[in-house]
Amino acid sequence: MVKVIILYFYNKTPKNSGGIMATFQFETKNVSFKPGQSIAGALFQSGIYDVSYSKQTKSERGAFCMNGDCCGCYVKVDGHQVLACRTPAAEALHVKR
């Protein structure tokens, strides 16, 4: 049995932003994002779906609920553990699993 999950993302980009992109670093990759976008949204937009990993099973995890309830998207941003779905992306962040 194959399960298909379809994710819809709310675009929080301000109307006057003009689609200007900025970047942050996720491990060794530069990730582009639009102003107002969450870290998880920017990672998904860039094709990175495994944003975190399970401490118990050591397996990769993706964001599940995208609203902070499941805690599946914990990442370290500049050394602090945060939820990627609830944290706005910003220029020059250093994000790690």
Side-chain angles (χ1 to χ4, degrees), residues 11-87:
N11 185 0
K12 297 180 182 178
T13 305
K15 290 181 182 178
N16 61 355
S17 71
I20 298 171
M21 302 288 275
T23 60
F24 65 86
Q25 187 174 7
F26 179 71
E27 296 180 344
T28 59
K29 299 178 183 179
N30 287 328
V31 177
S32 298
F33 66 93
K34 294 180 182 177
Q37 199 171 27
S38 70
I39 291 173
L43 291 171
F44 278 36
Q45 177 182 315
S46 297
I48 301 169
Y49 304 110
D50 299 326
V51 299
S52 186
Y53 72 96
S54 170
K55 290 181 180 180
Q56 277 186 322
T57 64
K58 304 294 183 200
S59 60
E60 295 176 333
R61 297 175 65 169
F64 179 70
C65 69
M66 293 300 286
N67 64 9
D69 289 337
C70 73
C71 301
C73 63
Y74 272 118
V75 294
K76 288 189 178 180
V77 176
D78 297 329
H80 301 283
Q81 193 172 17
V82 298
L83 290 169
C85 67
R86 303 285 291 178
T87 306

